[in-house]
Amino acid sequence: RAMASLQRALNLLPDFEWASLTVSNMACSSESTVRAALADSQSGKPSLDFQQRPQQIDQSQLKQPVRANASYMVTGGLGGLGLEMMQWLAAQGAQSIVLLGRRAANGAALAQIEQVRATGVQVTVMQADIGIEADVARVFADISAHLPPLAGIIHSAGVLDDGVLMQQSAARFEKVLAPKVKGAWYLHQHSSSLPLDFFIMFSSIAAIIGWPGQSNYAAANAFMDALAQHRQARGLPALSINWGPWRDAGMAANLDQRDSERMSEAGMAALSGEQGLHAMSRLLAYRLPQAGVFDLEWSMISKTMPDPARLTVFKQFIDPNLIQQSVNLFDQLMALDMVARGRRLGEEICVILAEVLGIDNPGAIDPAQSVFEFGLNSLMGMDFKNRLQGKLHTKLPTTLVLKYPTVQAMVQFICENHLMDQIPAGNEADRITLVL
């Protein structure tokens, strides 16, 4: 049903014509801010090469990315990231900035806009839905008629509607895909004949490594990554940046404290505005079609994977010694008899649940009580499942918590389906009811 909903959502999107894409310049750095883009393989097939480095560029020979006699458009311009882009453009010398938003600017946004206007910069606010082509056409016509020629676009618009795949629908996918997919495509269509200096799309790390509950968001951003390759293949400027979370702007800035803590515990650190803007300026110099800018602790990310030693794409980022030194809960459990095994697994499940829920005392979790009564939601359930499978080094079903919502039920399921294989045939005496 979820896949049928996904297909219906994709059918809502406009038809596209695609050219053959050249996959080029995948780069990665040991710095906390990772630069990435795609690289050519010797066989002619797309591949990932994390060893290649971008060509060193003499910064003194680079032309200024922003010109005073041109206009620059920012979609999502009245949000936190959009206002950051307005400040950056003004600092780079822009004299005409167009901010697009679906709604009128609020008081906080207006205050920042007036500060920039006070410096002599013309800031034009236009109300438009970037996912509606008529709105996009109207914006381009207004700029052409009344403002200096458009020379750059920063597409930072986007929305979230997170949820596990089983809870997604065509409507929820359409909501998230519209500003990213339709918006990026309409901007591409209406600007392809203009001599732009840059066309920047704000993609997400979700499109590279995935993120629990963000199937729709990952798909939307992956489209923009592909569009950047398409534009570059046609000789048009393009840069899709797979951002990690920004600390003081963007969607992550609106997370509550517990969600922010869980993001940090998963190995994801938020970028400061200074880090993000510095990285974007450097990427414009490298002329890459796609790059990732995020701060990850790969050893922590690997703890949510059932078998990190078998990783392919990101294997180079993880120290194999850390994997070997990590405690394998599966081996510990298999060394115990069935009763002790169930009790030990139950204790570990309660510890992980307490971490996810922010409960100080794991003993406060009643093994017979539904975990949803403690405040667990579907996304927390996914986080819990990933942490548990990382400790067990065993792949667990996505529906684990939904189908087995108590600690007792989860212990029973895991023991009977993942911890019985090593028991010799005939030892049916070990197959006893688990007591927690």
Side-chain angles (χ1 to χ4, degrees):
R1 187 164 53 190
M3 292 308 297
S5 295
L6 172 59
Q7 183 60 56
R8 287 196 298 272
L10 294 177
N11 289 339
L12 295 173
L13 302 177
D15 294 328
F16 306 109
E17 295 180 1
W18 295 100
S20 175
L21 302 185
T22 301
V23 185
S24 61
N25 295 333
M26 178 55 121
C28 155
S29 169
S30 59
E31 299 172 342
S32 62
T33 301
V34 180
R35 300 187 308 273
L38 291 171
D40 293 330
S41 77
Q42 296 300 317
S43 64
K45 297 180 180 180
S47 66
L48 298 177
D49 176 7
F50 285 89
Q51 300 302 321
Q52 183 179 343
R53 293 293 184 268
Q55 179 182 356
Q56 294 300 313
I57 297 175
D58 183 355
Q59 299 288 332
S60 65
Q61 300 301 313
L62 294 172
K63 68 176 183 179
Q64 182 74 7
V66 174
R67 294 182 279 119
N69 60 348
S71 293
Y72 297 89
M73 178 195 299
V74 182
T75 71
L78 303 179
L81 280 178
L83 294 171
E84 287 270 7
M85 295 306 107
M86 174 191 67
Q87 300 280 0
W88 177 80
L89 286 166
Q92 297 296 312
Q95 292 297 300
S96 176
I97 302 172
V98 180
L99 303 180
L100 302 189
R102 288 186 299 165
R103 301 176 182 86
N106 59 30
L110 283 174
Q112 292 192 50
I113 291 170
E114 290 304 326
Q115 287 179 352
V116 173
R117 285 173 173 165
T119 66
V121 177
Q122 180 182 7
V123 180
T124 304
V125 178
M126 296 186 183
Q127 199 165 337
D129 187 334
I130 201 68
I132 299 176
E133 186 172 15
D135 282 13
V136 176
R138 170 174 53 80
V139 167
F140 275 87
D142 286 348
I143 293 174
S144 177
H146 306 294
L147 296 173
L150 189 65
I153 295 174
I154 300 178
H155 183 31
S156 67
V159 295
L160 288 176
D161 193 353
D162 292 355
V164 295
L165 189 57
M166 286 178 35
Q167 296 175 340
Q168 288 290 351
S169 65
R172 295 181 71 179
F173 259 78
E174 167 68 7
K175 174 184 174 182
V176 175
L177 267 60
K180 295 282 188 178
V181 177
K182 289 184 177 179
W185 184 253
Y186 296 150
L187 290 171
H188 159 68
Q189 285 185 312
H190 286 273
S191 69
S192 59
S193 62
L194 301 178
L196 298 182
D197 294 327
F198 57 79
F199 185 101
I200 304 173
M201 294 174 284
F202 278 22
S203 182
S204 167
I205 185 176
I208 297 181
I209 67 171
W211 208 254
Q214 293 194 336
S215 55
N216 48 13
Y217 196 62
N221 286 289
F223 173 88
M224 295 198 303
D225 298 341
L227 178 59
Q229 302 289 338
H230 175 62
R231 284 182 58 87
Q232 189 173 83
R234 293 184 57 189
L236 300 173
L239 169 61
S240 185
I241 305 177
N242 300 96
W243 290 113
W246 285 49
R247 183 180 305 141
D248 301 316
M251 300 169 186
N254 298 319
L255 294 176
D256 60 33
Q257 181 178 352
R258 184 58 199 141
D259 284 339
S260 296
E261 290 173 352
R262 289 197 299 114
M263 184 176 69
S264 298
E265 291 165 1
M268 177 81 75
L271 300 168
S272 68
E274 182 181 2
Q275 287 176 312
L277 294 173
H278 176 69
M280 188 175 73
S281 298
R282 294 187 66 184
L283 290 170
L284 283 172
Y286 284 120
R287 300 294 193 268
L288 297 173
Q290 180 186 359
V293 180
F294 40 81
D295 190 346
L296 281 183
E297 179 54 61
W298 290 96
S299 62
M300 296 177 69
I301 291 288
S302 68
K303 291 180 181 179
T304 65
M305 301 173 181
D307 191 359
R310 296 182 62 184
L311 289 176
T312 53
V313 174
F314 300 111
K315 189 172 184 178
Q316 299 171 60
F317 291 96
I318 301 173
D319 186 348
N321 294 323
L322 293 178
I323 297 176
Q324 295 173 1
Q325 295 168 8
S326 63
V327 176
N328 190 328
L329 180 61
F330 181 91
D331 292 340
Q332 290 183 350
L333 293 172
M334 295 309 300
L336 303 173
D337 62 60
M338 278 301 296
V339 174
R341 188 180 302 171
R343 184 175 292 111
R344 174 73 181 86
L345 176 58
E347 292 171 352
E348 191 63 38
I349 287 176
C350 287
V351 168
I352 298 174
L353 280 171
E355 291 174 352
V356 172
L357 291 166
I359 297 175
D360 294 332
N361 179 18
I365 298 176
D366 183 349
Q369 187 174 353
S370 170
V371 294
F372 296 106
E373 294 179 18
F374 293 95
L376 194 82
N377 59 34
S378 59
L379 296 182
M380 289 180 179
M382 183 70 71
D383 183 14
F384 160 78
K385 187 272 296 185
N386 288 341
R387 296 188 192 205
L388 179 58
Q389 74 177 7
K391 288 197 173 184
L392 284 171
H393 291 197
T394 300
K395 180 70 174 176
L396 297 173
T398 303
T399 57
L400 175 68
V401 180
L402 293 175
K403 288 187 175 181
Y404 309 98
T406 69
V407 175
Q408 286 181 340
M410 283 187 273
V411 168
Q412 193 83 32
F413 168 79
I414 293 171
C415 284
E416 291 181 354
N417 291 273
H418 297 278
L419 300 179
M420 286 288 196
D421 295 342
Q422 305 298 322
I423 299 177
N427 284 13
E428 295 300 322
D430 279 342
R431 299 178 183 269
I432 63 176
T433 300
L434 299 169
V435 180
L436 296 180

